[in-house]
Amino acid sequence: MEEPLGDEGAKKAPTSERQKQQSSVSSMETSMKKVSRTTKPTISATSNLLAPKRSKPKNPSDSISNVTTTTTSYPQNQFCSGGKTNSVSDPVKQSLPQLRRSSLPSAKPTIRTSSVSEVRKSVSMDKSLRTSIGSGVSKSETVKKSSVKPALSVSSSSSSRRLTSSSLDSTGSSMSRKTISKLSSPSARTPSSSSGLRTGSLSISLDRSSNLSSRRRAGTPESRDSRFIILPLVETNKAGDDVRLDLRGHKVHSLNASGLNLTQNLEFVYLRDNLLSTLEGIEILKRVKVLDLSFNEFKGPGFEPLVNCQALQQLYLAGNQITSLVSLPQLPNLEFLSVAQNKLRSLSMAGQPRLQVLAASKNKITTLKSFPHLPVLEHLRVEENPILKIPHLEAASILLVGPTLKKFNDRDLSREEVAIAKRYPACTALCIRYGWELCRPENAADSTFRFLYEQWKEHFPPGYLLKDALVDQPFEEDACHCHFVFVEDNNLSADPQLVLKYQWFVEERALSSFSAIPDATGEVYWPKHGDIGKFLKVECTPIMGEIKYPPVFAISSRVSPGNGIPKVVNLEVQGELVEGNVIKGYAEIAWCGGTPGKGVASWLRRRWNSSPVVIAGAEDEEYRLTLDDIDSSLVFMYTPVTEEGAKGEPQYKYTDFVKAAPPSVNNVRIIGDVVEGNIVKGVGNYFGGKEGPSKFEWLRENKNTGDFVSISTGASEYALTNEDVGRRLAFVYSPINFEGQEGESVSILSLPVKQAPPKVLAEFSGLKLLLRHLDGENSLDALSTAKIAKAFRIPLGAVGYYIVVKYTPMTPDGEPGEPAYAISEKAVETLPPSLNFLSISGDYVEGGILTASYGYVGGHEGKSEYNWYLHE
């Protein structure tokens, strides 16, 4: 860091005294420049070294700490009054005996010109001494105590290397920012310079620090808690004369004065203890990182020229007459701002995106109204301001700043105040910025709503009042509802209808500029995983006709993470509850941090005044209503399940009772061959509750006119006749339900009826028609080859067999019909042996031969006997 700038809390020292001290050490300037170029930002915590004990000041906050060694530091008093004592590291403790032996109090500091590192070594901090940070030391006190100054003993430079760690200066320059920030401390760490050190300013700083730092705060337990305030680090490796300007106490009236030599290369500019009242000319400092304008004559406004100092990291404005910071522009790199000992009545200014420390003690601040957006602020100091009278001011500051705030008025945040801040609604910070006065936490919700209502009421649509504006507690991936309730004023008529439009926003802090969430324009928003820990804001815009009125808003508490157990937010069953329709169940699931999975769905049927019964096979979100569902209520049951296997509670949705569909019929058709003599049947698929006495009718086509004439009613079957041959038939199905309601008739036409082929109509004599189907004629032995003989003599070989006759009807033109088969009633039997004739033939002369001829009947003939006789 850069070199010390002296006490901000102290009044200006006389110029003559400052010049005298500068001349007393001018011989050191040349030798110290070379060494100081290598120094880095450090923590200044050694300002009380070798100071004799003095009585406690009346105002503990007036104590000041500052030190000037070869590695110079920022003014510690830039923060505010009431600094805490500083702790000492073990390496520092080891150097204390040497300090005590080599340090003797004297009227003026004695500096031997040995080396800067040796001086640094000798300025190690004594454990018994305290360093406090204040901003209220009077001019008289400064002059009075300057008579006692420490003597700095300088030893050989070679020993400084071994004791580098014993110096807080060297420790601060070598430690990383991350390491330093681990020190739980709010005392000042001031910048140090590496080149361009003026011996006059050095002696002045030593003089002030050695005397003023001897004051110690009241010995309360908290004041005895020795800590450091961590200042942002400023790289000063190149802090040579070309980038550094130190004109402290030179009675500079204007930045445009001749000889001031402001250049655009300057990075460290110290202009405290001058007569500046305007920033005109500061525009050239486009690279400046540290700017000290303390103890000048600034009154403000007039800080607009600082907008050109975009690289500025630390700004010191303490000890002026500034009444307002409204004109202070946003500085994107500003990390430290001291405005202590001014006449500020509020902290209203542009938001500072990187500001970590804001010191505003010893002002006239009475309100937190228009508090700026400071998203990374860690330290806030407002001691010795009228605003301290506000109850729970610390809690209000926590609400305004947010979770980054670590210190308030140089102390760790009180657990009680943190707990109190959590009890206030999320909109409290915004209301405080608008001017709302802090009240008890239990009354804050109503009080803030009434406060906002007063801001909005002049812009409500005519005839309407706002009754409520709030947002539910949001959880990850759970439905978050907003509630904006506009009610009609009884004394006014509202026409046309009021319409509400919504827009959701999200941001990490309640005072931030909220970012709109795309497509989040309904009453419900499902916070995402990335929203955890953030605030939600909903703007509700009333619209009446074509007029849009100013929006009202509500801010939620921070989004909480889900527990991973899904839950059903809403169940709906869509579809008309009429037989035959398909209905579908919809489940709105809050996955609450779990991975969405496929839930378990099922349908149940509940008849009148009975318990629900599971419908077998109905295990999908969709279900088609059947005849069994008529006059029953259905139940859709859904159990959410995540991919991780976590199951939520099942939820149920009851439907109204299912109604029967109007009677109807489809798929009407004629069954059977439309051939003369056949019987055909008309059928169809009836639908619409239970079927009643549906009507059936048959009609025949008139060949001449083409019209259809009714030929049969009441029966679904019809026997085709010879009159139907060559004509089409029509079958008409008129559905009627059980209650007698008739639906729309449906008809179907047949093909022209065909003439039937010839067929057997009567039995053969002595034979009966075969009733069973024969598998062809391969299994039959043909007894006759004549196809037109009606008579047949049973041969001898047919005994024991049945006689089968095949008859094929034939039309005159030779078209065969379907053959018919007939079989004899019994098998052919064998008769007793007998003759159906017997005769003698031959020559009836002596010597002639006679032959007996006969017809044998009775199966196969055996050895028949022949007996010849003579008869007279």
Side-chain angles (χ1 to χ4, degrees):
M1 293 194 180
E2 265 294 328
E3 71 174 57
L5 306 177
D7 291 324
E8 181 182 77
K11 298 287 185 177
K12 302 175 185 177
T15 305
S16 60
E17 177 69 12
R18 187 183 305 115
Q19 293 174 349
K20 180 185 294 185
Q21 292 171 345
Q22 289 176 351
S23 63
S24 64
V25 291
S26 59
S27 61
M28 289 184 61
E29 184 174 4
T30 304
S31 61
M32 295 178 68
K33 283 183 179 180
K34 297 179 180 180
V35 180
S36 61
R37 291 179 186 273
T38 61
T39 60
K40 297 181 180 180
T42 62
I43 301 175
S44 175
T46 61
S47 59
N48 289 7
L49 296 179
L50 311 178
K53 295 184 179 179
R54 290 184 177 270
S55 58
K56 299 177 181 179
K58 293 181 180 180
N59 186 353
S61 64
D62 290 344
S63 59
I64 302 174
S65 63
N66 196 9
V67 64
T68 302
T69 65
T70 56
T71 332
T72 57
S73 60
Y74 282 117
Q76 298 180 6
N77 257 1
Q78 302 288 20
F79 297 95
C80 57
S81 62
K84 295 183 181 179
T85 57
N86 295 332
S87 61
V88 184
S89 61
D90 291 339
V92 176
K93 294 179 183 178
Q94 297 173 3
S95 64
L96 293 181
Q98 181 181 356
L99 278 172
R100 293 193 179 99
R101 290 195 301 270
S102 61
S103 303
L104 297 175
S106 61
K108 295 183 179 180
T110 301
I111 303 178
R112 293 200 300 262
T113 57
S114 176
S115 71
V116 177
S117 61
E118 292 172 354
V119 174
R120 184 186 308 169
K121 171 186 173 183
S122 66
V123 189
S124 301
M125 184 170 63
D126 193 330
K127 178 179 179 181
S128 63
L129 300 179
R130 306 294 189 211
T131 300
S132 61
I133 305 169
S135 58
V137 180
S138 65
K139 178 177 180 180
S140 61
E141 289 174 328
T142 305
V143 176
K144 180 179 179 181
K145 295 186 179 183
S146 64
S147 60
V148 181
K149 302 177 182 179
L152 301 179
S153 63
V154 182
S155 59
S156 63
S157 59
S158 61
S159 62
S160 65
R161 297 181 181 178
R162 293 181 285 106
L163 296 177
T164 301
S165 61
S166 66
S167 167
L168 284 179
D169 180 29
S170 61
T171 303
S173 63
S174 61
M175 293 169 66
S176 66
R177 180 172 181 174
K178 180 177 180 182
T179 306
I180 295 176
S181 61
K182 291 182 179 179
L183 299 172
S184 57
S185 72
S187 287
R189 185 191 70 209
T190 56
S192 62
S193 170
S194 61
S195 66
L197 180 65
R198 285 178 169 81
T199 57
S201 61
L202 172 64
S203 61
I204 293 171
S205 300
L206 286 171
D207 181 32
R208 290 180 178 176
S209 64
S210 62
N211 289 279
L212 299 179
S213 63
S214 62
R215 303 182 180 182
R216 289 181 290 180
R217 298 185 55 191
T220 62
E222 292 172 338
S223 67
R224 289 194 297 269
D225 185 14
S226 178
R227 305 191 177 192
F228 296 105
I229 283 185
I230 306 303
L231 281 184
L233 294 178
V234 178
E235 295 182 2
T236 58
N237 295 333
K238 300 184 297 182
D241 291 336
D242 56 335
V243 297
R244 182 179 180 279
L245 176 66
D246 189 348
L247 291 176
R248 290 173 284 190
H250 282 64
K251 295 184 179 181
V252 178
H253 288 263
S254 171
L255 296 175
N256 293 323
S258 60
L260 191 58
N261 195 26
L262 291 183
T263 66
Q264 62 181 2
N265 293 328
L266 291 175
E267 298 181 9
F268 306 92
V269 178
Y270 305 101
L271 295 171
R272 65 183 289 137
D273 295 322
N274 282 290
L275 302 174
L276 295 171
S277 60
T278 176
L279 288 175
E280 183 180 354
I282 203 75
E283 299 88 349
I284 196 173
L285 300 178
K286 296 183 179 181
R287 297 182 181 178
V288 65
K289 297 179 180 178
V290 178
L291 179 61
D292 184 6
L293 299 173
S294 303
F295 297 102
N296 278 275
E297 296 182 359
F298 293 103
K299 295 182 179 181
F303 296 108
E304 293 88 351
L306 286 173
V307 72
N308 295 284
C309 305
Q310 295 292 296
L312 187 60
Q313 298 179 24
Q314 298 182 10
L315 176 61
Y316 298 87
L317 294 171
N320 285 279
Q321 303 296 315
I322 300 172
T323 59
S324 173
L325 295 174
V326 174
S327 62
L328 183 66
Q330 184 178 100
L331 300 170
N333 293 293
L334 187 65
E335 299 178 349
F336 176 86
L337 174 63
S338 173
V339 289
Q341 278 189 268
N342 280 284
K343 295 182 179 181
L344 295 172
R345 295 187 178 275
S346 76
L347 292 173
S348 176
M349 66 174 126
Q352 306 298 337
R354 297 184 64 180
L355 190 65
Q356 300 177 29
V357 180
L358 174 58
S361 299
K362 288 184 177 295
N363 278 279
K364 297 181 180 181
I365 300 173
T366 59
T367 179
L368 291 174
K369 185 177 181 180
S370 301
F371 191 87
H373 175 48
L374 307 174
V376 296
L377 188 69
E378 297 181 2
H379 300 261
L380 176 63
R381 303 192 66 169
V382 289
E383 298 101 322
E384 298 190 49
N385 279 283
I387 197 174
L388 293 175
K389 298 178 181 180
I390 296 178
H392 300 302
L393 176 62
E394 183 174 341
S397 302
I398 294 171
L399 289 169
L400 285 168
V401 176
T404 59
L405 188 65
K406 300 297 185 296
K407 303 284 184 182
F408 179 75
N409 286 347
D410 200 24
R411 297 180 180 180
D412 290 338
L413 297 181
S414 165
R415 292 184 179 180
E416 292 76 9
E417 292 296 307
V418 172
I420 289 173
K422 291 181 179 179
R423 296 174 57 189
Y424 284 89
C427 65
T428 302
L430 198 59
C431 292
I432 294 174
R433 175 185 277 180
Y434 288 164
W436 176 74
E437 294 183 1
L438 200 69
C439 69
R440 297 175 64 88
E442 55 269 23
N443 301 327
D446 291 336
S447 179
T448 52
F449 177 75
R450 289 195 301 270
F451 175 81
L452 293 173
Y453 184 90
E454 291 298 319
Q455 313 293 318
W456 297 333
K457 67 179 182 180
E458 299 299 328
H459 306 288
F460 290 154
Y464 281 92
L465 302 174
L466 181 63
K467 183 179 179 181
D468 212 348
L470 58 91
V471 183
D472 293 343
Q473 166 65 46
F475 291 90
E476 175 192 11
E477 296 181 358
D478 198 348
C480 181
H481 296 257
C482 64
H483 306 274
F484 293 90
V485 182
F486 283 88
V487 295
E488 295 186 33
D489 190 347
N490 294 331
N491 300 325
L492 298 173
S493 60
D495 191 36
Q497 187 70 27
L498 182 67
V499 177
L500 302 180
K501 297 293 185 181
Y502 304 94
Q503 178 61 60
W504 291 75
F505 301 81
V506 64
E507 192 51 66
E508 294 184 0
R509 299 172 184 268
L511 286 185
S512 302
S513 298
F514 281 80
S515 303
I517 304 173
D519 301 326
T521 56
E523 292 185 60
V524 182
Y525 172 67
W526 297 72
K528 303 176 179 60
H529 181 74
D531 298 332
I532 294 176
K534 298 180 181 179
F535 293 95
L536 299 178
K537 178 182 177 182
V538 189
E539 287 188 357
C540 175
T541 303
I543 301 175
M544 184 176 289
E546 297 181 355
I547 302 176
K548 285 187 177 182
Y549 292 87
V552 296
F553 66 85
I555 300 177
S556 75
S557 56
R558 294 184 183 275
V559 178
S560 300
N563 57 8
I565 305 298
K567 63 181 180 180
V568 178
V569 178
N570 187 37
L571 276 184
E572 293 291 339
V573 176
Q574 297 181 4
E576 189 176 4
L577 296 172
V578 177
E579 174 197 7
N581 288 352
V582 175
I583 59 176
K584 186 174 183 179
Y586 292 90
E588 191 175 14
I589 308 300
W591 297 106
C592 302
T595 306
K598 182 171 178 59
V600 179
S602 59
W603 294 89
L604 298 87
R605 183 185 297 120
R606 178 178 176 270
R607 300 193 183 279
W608 179 260
N609 204 22
S610 62
S611 299
V613 178
V614 175
I615 302 175
E619 298 175 351
D620 200 354
E621 284 82 1
E622 291 186 352
Y623 174 71
R624 183 178 294 277
L625 299 172
T626 66
L627 179 64
D628 295 333
D629 300 321
I630 297 176
D631 296 331
S632 298
S633 173
L634 295 183
V635 183
F636 177 60
M637 182 176 71
Y638 191 87
T639 303
V641 183
T642 66
E643 289 289 345
E644 295 79 10
K647 289 186 178 181
E649 292 292 329
Q651 296 297 321
Y652 303 85
K653 178 67 176 181
Y654 284 79
T655 70
D656 291 332
F657 287 91
V658 179
K659 299 178 181 179
S664 63
V665 64
N666 57 51
N667 195 23
V668 175
R669 58 200 183 279
I670 297 175
I671 299 177
D673 294 331
V674 284
V675 177
E676 174 191 4
N678 288 353
I679 295 177
V680 293
K681 185 177 181 178
V683 296
N685 298 334
Y686 174 85
F687 182 76
K690 295 182 180 180
E691 187 174 10
S694 297
K695 297 179 181 178
F696 307 105
E697 184 178 10
W698 292 91
L699 298 93
R700 181 192 299 138
E701 182 182 23
N702 187 320
K703 289 185 177 181
N704 298 326
T705 63
D707 296 332
F708 286 84
V709 180
S710 177
I711 55 175
S712 176
T713 58
S716 62
E717 294 183 349
Y718 176 70
L720 300 174
T721 65
N722 187 38
E723 296 180 6
D724 301 322
V725 174
R727 303 182 184 185
R728 293 181 300 170
L729 298 181
F731 174 68
V732 181
Y733 194 137
S734 300
I736 301 176
N737 63 17
F738 191 75
E739 288 76 21
Q741 181 183 1
E742 183 174 349
E744 185 177 355
S745 298
V746 178
S747 61
I748 186 70
L749 291 177
S750 71
L751 296 173
V753 178
K754 295 180 180 180
Q755 183 178 8
K759 62 180 180 179
V760 177
L761 298 178
E763 293 185 353
F764 291 97
S765 177
L767 300 175
K768 64 178 181 180
L769 292 176
L770 286 175
L771 300 179
R772 62 185 178 89
H773 176 68
L774 295 177
D775 297 332
E777 302 175 11
N778 295 331
S779 59
L780 301 178
D781 295 329
L783 298 179
S784 173
T785 58
K787 296 183 178 180
I788 59 174
K790 295 183 179 180
F792 173 72
R793 182 181 297 276
I794 298 175
L796 177 61
V799 175
Y801 292 89
Y802 290 86
I803 302 300
V804 177
V805 62
K806 173 183 177 183
Y807 177 75
T808 302
M810 194 77 68
T811 61
D813 56 1
E815 180 182 355
E818 187 72 19
Y821 294 86
I823 191 171
S824 61
E825 294 181 355
K826 60 182 180 179
V828 176
E829 298 177 352
T830 301
L831 297 177
S834 63
L835 294 173
N836 54 11
F837 71 91
L838 179 62
S839 62
I840 299 173
S841 62
D843 295 332
Y844 291 96
V845 292
E846 182 181 2
I849 298 174
L850 296 176
T851 302
S853 299
Y854 58 91
Y856 179 84
V857 178
H860 292 285
E861 183 179 6
K863 294 181 179 181
S864 301
E865 294 180 357
Y866 302 93
N867 296 315
W868 292 88
Y869 298 94
L870 294 175
H871 180 64
E872 291 181 359

